């Protein structure tokens, strides 16, 4: 395994305010025995709400935090006892803006970090040129542009280039597409997919974008309140909530009234919109399927509606996320 987390625990001591000026100490359990594995060449998504423990986990694996207990290994190296060796084989992207120098160009920034990493000049020169092409920075004219003049998308690409400078076998990417426009996000995703599938790099990837997680990740780890609450492929996780379905009904009604809209919403606990021509669009999340679709349709017909079409959709990864993190 490229990454192994074994019963990781981490607590923070914070201050909780009481009233206007008083406060008391409070212990926050960020991680409560987190364990998981990431295989060679695998893209694993670490998903969870804000404050769930994602960043703490990522920082421990990146040697930036020391766990209170438990172990973490990267390619068999202990992230605490062998931190220097671990740093040589991982590429980290924690934010798209921090650590760069505004008065240096993109190329100069990468040259600086290459020297900091102790890379040989010939290797560094070739690698920087390769990354400028690979990430489209040269095409965007960003190679010789000052970093302070970069757009957010350019900064994200340069940040990923920095993570790849050492040609590491393991990548840890913390929300790399956060705030990016669709073309920049797609470029990052395509590159990450290529690195894993063609170069056999291992990727631990955090994101709040459910669409991104579904198309990119081989497996998903769902973390909530410092614990892994579910894991599996996107398809496996969806199968674990088979009763949660989305129903979409298109119906017709000659009389358009708000009372009718209220009656339908009360009946199915969903969202109803009525157009000027009397077309009624009904969307609802069915948390239980015990009553059956036929009974639901019968109740809608009893209100005097003519049903035009019915569509039932399987759960999305967003449904999975909400289901497991709200339990």
């Amino acid at each position: 395994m490229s990454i192994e987390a074994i019963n990781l625990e981490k607590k923070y001591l914070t201050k909780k305010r009481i009233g206007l000026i008083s406060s008391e100490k409070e212990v926050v359990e960020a991680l409560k025995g987190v364990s998981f594995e990431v295989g060679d060449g695998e893209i694993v998504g670490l998903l969870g709400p804000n404050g769930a423990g994602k960043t703490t986990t990522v920082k421990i694996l990146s040697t930036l935090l020391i766990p209170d207990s438990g172990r973490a290994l990267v390619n068999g190296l202990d992230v605490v006892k062998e931190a220097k060796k671990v740093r040589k084989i991982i590429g980290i992207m924690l934010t798209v803006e921090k650590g760069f120098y505004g008065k240096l160009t993109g190329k100069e920034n990468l040259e600086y970090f290459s020297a900091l990493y102790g890379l040989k000049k010939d290797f560094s020169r070739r690698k920087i040129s390769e990354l400028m092409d690979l990430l489209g920075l040269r095409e965007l004219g960003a190679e010789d542009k000052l970093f302070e003049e970069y757009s957010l998308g350019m900064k994200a690409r340069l940040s990923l280039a920095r993570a790849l400078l050492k040609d590491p076998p393991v990548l840890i990417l913390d929300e790399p597409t956060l705030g990016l426009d669709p073309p920049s996000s797609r470029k990052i995703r395509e590159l990450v997919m290529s690195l894993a599938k063609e170069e056999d790099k291992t990727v631990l990837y955090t994101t709040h974008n459910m669409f991104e997680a579904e198309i990119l990740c081989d497996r998903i780890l769902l973390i909530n309140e410092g614990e892994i609450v579910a894991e599996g492929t996107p398809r496996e996780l969806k199968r674990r909530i088979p009763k949660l379905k989305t129903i979409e009904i298109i119906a017709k009604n000659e009389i358009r009234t708000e009372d009718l809209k209220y009656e339908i919403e009360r009946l199915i606990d969903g969202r109803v919109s009525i157009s000027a021509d009397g077309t009624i669009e009904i969307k609802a999340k069915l948390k239980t399927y015990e009553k059956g679709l036929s009974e639901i349709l019968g109740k809608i017909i009893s209100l005097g509606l003519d049903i035009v079409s019915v569509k039932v959709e399987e759960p999305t990864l967003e449904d999975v996320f909400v289901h497991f993190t709200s339990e």
Side-chain angles (χ1 to χ4, degrees), residues 241 243-249 265 267-272 282-289 296 311-320 322-323:
I241 53 170
K243 291 184 179 179
L244 182 63
K245 297 178 182 289
T246 301
I247 181 172
E248 181 178 320
I249 302 170
E265 288 177 342
L267 183 67
I268 66 167
D269 189 24
R271 181 172 60 83
V272 178
I282 304 166
K283 288 188 178 181
K285 298 284 185 184
L286 301 182
K287 294 182 180 179
T288 176
Y289 222 49
I296 293 171
K311 182 169 71 173
V312 179
E313 297 178 349
E314 294 301 315
T316 65
L317 195 56
E318 183 177 288
D319 295 324
V320 172
V322 172
H323 174 76

Side-chain angles (χ1 to χ4, degrees), residues 159-175:
S159 186
L160 184 54
R162 179 175 61 182
L164 294 170
L165 272 174
K166 296 174 286 186
D167 197 18
V170 177
L171 287 170
I172 299 174
L173 310 178
D174 191 12
E175 298 190 57

